[in-house]
Amino acid sequence: MTQRLPPSLTPLDAALAALLDRLEPIAPIELPLAEAAGCIAAGTPLLTTYPPRDIAAADGWALSANDLVGASSYSPLPLTKAPHWVEAGDAMPQGCDCVLDADAVDASGPLAEVVAEGLPGQGVRRAGRDVTERTSAGAEGAPIGAADLLLARVAGVDRLSVRRPRLRIVNVPGATVTMHMIAHVARAAGLHVSSHEARARDDASIGDALDASVGDLVVTMGGSGVGRRDAAVAALAQRGNVIAHGLALQPGRTAAVGRLGRVPVVALPGAPDQALAAWLALGLPIIDRLSARQPRRSATLPLARKIASSVGVAELALLADEQGAWMPLAVGEWPLRAIAGADAWLLIPGSSEGFAAGTPVDAYLMRE
């Protein structure tokens, strides 16, 4: 039986509200640092002071700055005792508060001579300079980045508490290229991604792959349209509940949303532009709710030229940052070259006719 769209399309806001209804954040898990990158921090640990004491920031001679007043190449200052040589990272010797370069001390004679003055703290990394006591390893609800991992490692933390939603992708034959794109985008957003290939494009084969027990979000890839070989929505209707098929969204009109038990399901079109747009409009809000994520980064810039939009349909626009202004690359229909060149995306509500040139608009960044 051929899938059909309803006579009227479901507004994006209504479909998204139904998906998010009673959807709660998943429980945190602890992951090794190497696996925590990109995941959303949950209950971040409080780090200890680092370095725990003053250490040398460079290789050289450890000395007391007060003992070096007046030293110069014209007036070398003899030292009454041999100076301490330190390597970067060594603990500073007692009574020393600066590190001079190797050529600042002449140790060739019976008495070492200093030929340069020093300042307190010169060449020294003070205790607690990098990490103060009770600093958090990352911000609650924010993605864990390279800097967070660095702080955790130097403070001796080897695991972090994160929320990492599990995404199960069911690939309908013929949509493999799009599946790889969405999987890559999802992994970059900190999700654990698993994929399963449906045996064929019929509803029975797709339905057999709709397993909600191994995912917090299930996405079908391809087969959401009204072609004679499209059956993803029919399969979802047999195995779960279809909330809406056919959205007032462009690109992404033939996407569908539903549930398998309590697990949300998004049926994405097989075309890359349609799938990506529907993922941004539907998938990201779901994973943000599941991971208790803070609001995503956005940037406000004026439009370099106007954007016209059709009332009654939410449209997504791709934007590029050109000399401090958003240049629209594509609205409603996305050539692949526009996807490759986009810096941000903008959701134009169905109630809007668009924006005039020069209007400041708040757009979400494609790469955070």
Side-chain angles (χ1 to χ4, degrees):
M1 180 178 177
T2 303
Q3 293 176 164
R4 301 292 184 189
L5 293 180
S8 61
L9 300 176
T10 301
L12 174 64
D13 290 347
L16 188 56
L19 274 177
L20 297 179
D21 182 41
R22 290 175 290 179
L23 188 66
E24 299 293 335
I26 61 174
I29 59 173
E30 286 198 348
L31 290 178
L33 299 187
E35 298 179 32
C39 297
I40 305 303
T44 55
L46 298 178
L47 306 180
T48 57
T49 299
Y50 184 85
R53 58 177 297 180
D54 291 354
I55 61 173
D59 306 333
W61 300 102
L63 297 160
S64 171
N66 285 339
D67 297 339
L68 309 179
V69 177
S72 71
S73 58
Y74 300 103
S75 179
L77 177 67
L79 298 175
T80 58
K81 59 181 180 179
H84 297 276
W85 177 264
V86 292
E87 307 280 344
D90 288 347
M92 289 294 291
Q94 185 70 28
C96 297
D97 62 1
C98 67
V99 176
L100 300 188
D101 293 339
D103 57 4
V105 175
D106 182 1
S108 61
L111 288 177
E113 294 182 323
V114 182
V115 297
E117 291 185 318
L119 297 173
Q122 176 181 332
V124 177
R125 189 173 292 273
R126 296 294 194 186
R129 180 178 180 183
D130 293 316
V131 182
T132 58
E133 185 73 21
R134 300 183 66 79
T135 296
S136 296
E140 180 89 16
I144 294 173
D148 302 316
L149 297 177
L150 172 63
L151 293 180
R153 287 190 174 98
V154 300
V157 174
D158 60 2
R159 300 176 74 85
L160 291 175
S161 178
V162 300
R163 286 187 173 89
R164 188 187 191 189
R166 301 166 301 160
L167 171 65
R168 178 175 174 85
I169 299 178
V170 175
N171 187 46
V172 176
T176 301
V177 170
T178 304
M179 182 272 292
H180 284 303
M181 176 191 67
I182 295 298
H184 174 77
V185 171
R187 289 191 182 98
L191 275 68
H192 180 274
V193 180
S194 62
S195 59
H196 186 93
E197 185 84 13
R199 297 188 310 273
R201 293 182 63 92
D202 59 86
D203 52 2
S205 299
I206 299 171
D208 287 343
L210 290 176
D211 184 358
S213 65
V214 293
D216 302 300
L217 168 62
V218 175
V219 166
T220 61
M221 195 66 55
S224 70
V226 294
R228 294 180 178 178
R229 301 178 63 233
D230 288 335
V233 181
L236 175 58
Q238 294 172 11
R239 292 301 181 97
N241 175 40
V242 176
I243 296 173
H245 179 209
L247 306 180
L249 173 68
Q250 189 63 21
R253 183 175 66 96
T254 64
V257 296
R259 290 184 183 274
L260 289 171
R262 301 183 64 178
V263 175
V265 180
V266 180
L268 297 178
D273 59 326
Q274 302 278 325
L276 179 58
W279 171 259
L280 295 175
L282 296 166
L284 291 189
I286 295 172
I287 64 173
D288 289 355
R289 175 69 62 85
L290 290 170
S291 56
R293 180 187 168 125
Q294 295 179 5
R296 290 180 173 268
R297 287 182 59 197
S298 59
T300 303
L301 294 174
L303 283 174
R305 66 167 186 247
K306 73 174 183 178
I307 293 179
S309 180
S310 302
V311 174
V313 176
E315 294 191 90
L316 275 76
L318 293 177
L319 310 173
D321 183 353
E322 294 189 3
Q323 300 180 342
W326 288 132
M327 175 61 71
L329 300 180
V331 182
E333 295 183 4
W334 292 359
L336 297 187
R337 65 178 183 275
I339 295 175
D343 296 311
W345 59 279
L346 173 68
L347 177 61
I348 306 167
S351 59
S352 173
E353 295 182 353
F355 305 97
T359 302
V361 296
D362 195 26
Y364 290 106
L365 303 181
M366 295 290 283
R367 293 165 289 276
E368 291 191 290

